[in-house]
Amino acid sequence: MKELYGVGILFFYFLKWPIAIAYPYMLTHGLHHNYILDILWIYCIFLIFKDLTMYLKRKKENKS
């Protein structure tokens, strides 16, 4: 189970930005909707927002 968790972390760490950017592009250029990819895309967007909020919170704490 640890290996699966580690693979998931590495997968989403390195591929969340390419998936978030490329999937809408592929949809506008002929790719048909796939529910699994839609859920994966939403999850990647969620992870990006989470990272940005953590970054902004840390930046605010360092200013004070």
Side-chain angles (χ1 to χ4, degrees):
M1 194 65 179
K2 280 185 177 180
E3 292 84 12
L4 185 61
Y5 182 70
V7 168
I9 289 174
L10 287 175
F11 177 78
F12 286 111
Y13 181 77
F14 289 111
L15 291 177
K16 65 183 166 197
W17 283 100
I19 290 172
I21 294 169
Y23 186 62
Y25 175 79
M26 291 188 301
L27 285 175
T28 59
H29 287 82
L31 179 71
H32 298 291
H33 275 280
N34 182 340
Y35 296 116
I36 295 172
L37 286 177
D38 288 343
I39 292 169
L40 182 66
W41 182 75
I42 290 169
Y43 188 63
C44 288
I45 296 296
F46 169 74
L47 290 175
I48 290 170
F49 281 131
K50 186 183 76 121
D51 288 346
L52 288 175
T53 56
M54 287 174 46
Y55 172 74
L56 293 174
K57 183 179 174 183
R58 192 175 298 165
K59 188 175 178 182
K60 185 179 177 182
E61 288 175 358
N62 288 339
K63 266 190 177 178
S64 300

